[in-house]
């Protein structure tokens, strides 16, 4: 209520809409529905940030990029996809073919080293993507980054996934755990 003109006002308005007088402090009514408190905030390399607040997920794919926003009410399924680096596999395959066909010993040594480095990269590094499927069947993929297996970045990403999966299950979203070999079930 405005103390000057006596008209009812909305809580937290600050000034009376009718006479402009300053309104007294009034508690805001409790909001019905889900909490708007953040349940996830993770920074990945390259300026990538994943945040969850209330009924929304936001992903910024780079430091100067515009974030993608997703309302959780439109989300049917969420999966974490671990992928091998296809360019490393192609590099290894090409180096192996060239190794067999190379006529000079020095070239074979260099190609052999290239094969070893490529195999180490294929085995030791994983690309992670978040696969989001809407209720209308549209799939969206958010690239979380490439990390070395067992590194602190890998552990942080897995911990963030566990927290996100738990929060999504609590909100009624189907969560598919990644398979050991890579792709998410049904992806």
């Amino acid at each position: 209520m405005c103390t000057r003109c006596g008209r009812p006002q909305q809580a937290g308005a600050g000034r009376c809409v009718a006479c402009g007088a300053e309104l007294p402090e009034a508690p805001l009514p409790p909001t019905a529905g889900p909490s708007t408190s953040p349940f996830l905030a993770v920074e990945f390399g390259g300026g990538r940030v994943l945040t969850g607040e209330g009924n929304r997920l936001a992903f910024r794919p780079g430091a100067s990029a515009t974030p993608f926003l997703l309302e959780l009410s439109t989300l049917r399924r969420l999966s974490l996809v671990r992928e091998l680096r296809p360019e490393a596999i192609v590099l290894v395959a090409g180096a192996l073919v060239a190794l067999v066909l190379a006529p000079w010993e020095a070239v074979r040594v260099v190609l052999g080293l290239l094969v070893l480095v490529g195999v180490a990269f294929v085995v030791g590094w994983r690309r992670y993507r978040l696969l989001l499927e809407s209720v209308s069947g549209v799939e969206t993929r958010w690239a979380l980054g490439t990390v070395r297996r067992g590194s602190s970045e890998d552990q942080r990403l897995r911990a963030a996934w566990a927290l996100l999966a738990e929060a999504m299950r609590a909100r009624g979203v189907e969560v598919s755990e990644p398979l050991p070999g890579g792709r998410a079930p049904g992806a």
Side-chain angles (χ1 to χ4, degrees):
M1 284 294 244
C2 177
T3 54
R4 186 178 189 191
C5 68
R7 292 191 175 132
Q9 306 291 318
Q10 287 188 348
R15 295 210 171 268
C16 176
V17 294
C19 69
E22 189 170 333
L23 296 173
E25 291 284 327
L28 294 172
T31 58
S35 167
T36 59
S37 63
F39 60 86
L40 178 72
V42 183
E43 289 186 36
F44 304 105
R48 290 181 297 273
V49 178
L50 178 64
T51 57
E53 186 175 319
N55 243 358
R56 181 180 293 172
L57 269 180
F59 177 67
R60 189 177 68 206
S64 62
T66 303
F68 297 107
L69 300 175
L70 179 76
E71 294 293 327
L72 296 181
S73 60
T74 66
L75 187 61
R76 177 187 341 176
R77 185 171 59 114
L78 177 74
S79 304
L80 180 69
V81 180
R82 291 187 301 235
E83 302 172 333
L84 296 174
R85 296 297 306 242
E87 58 273 13
I89 296 171
V90 169
L91 178 70
V92 168
L96 279 173
V97 169
L99 181 66
V100 171
L101 301 175
W104 301 289
E105 193 64 33
V107 173
R108 286 185 177 188
V109 170
V110 171
L111 289 172
L113 290 174
L114 187 61
V115 167
L116 290 175
V117 169
V119 168
F121 190 76
V122 168
V123 171
W125 293 76
R126 293 285 183 264
R127 177 186 295 161
Y128 286 93
R129 295 183 190 272
L130 206 55
L131 175 67
L132 308 121
E133 184 181 335
S134 70
V135 291
S136 61
V138 176
E139 284 188 358
T140 304
R141 293 176 187 260
W142 290 345
L144 302 179
T146 301
V147 297
R148 188 174 42 84
R149 292 173 62 181
S151 68
S152 61
E153 294 90 8
D154 187 36
Q155 293 169 0
R156 187 175 65 226
L157 193 142
R158 289 173 184 264
W161 166 251
L163 184 64
L164 179 61
E166 180 182 325
M168 293 300 100
R169 284 187 187 106
R171 287 166 172 77
V173 176
E174 178 188 340
V175 176
S176 300
E177 294 295 330
L179 297 171
R183 296 181 59 85

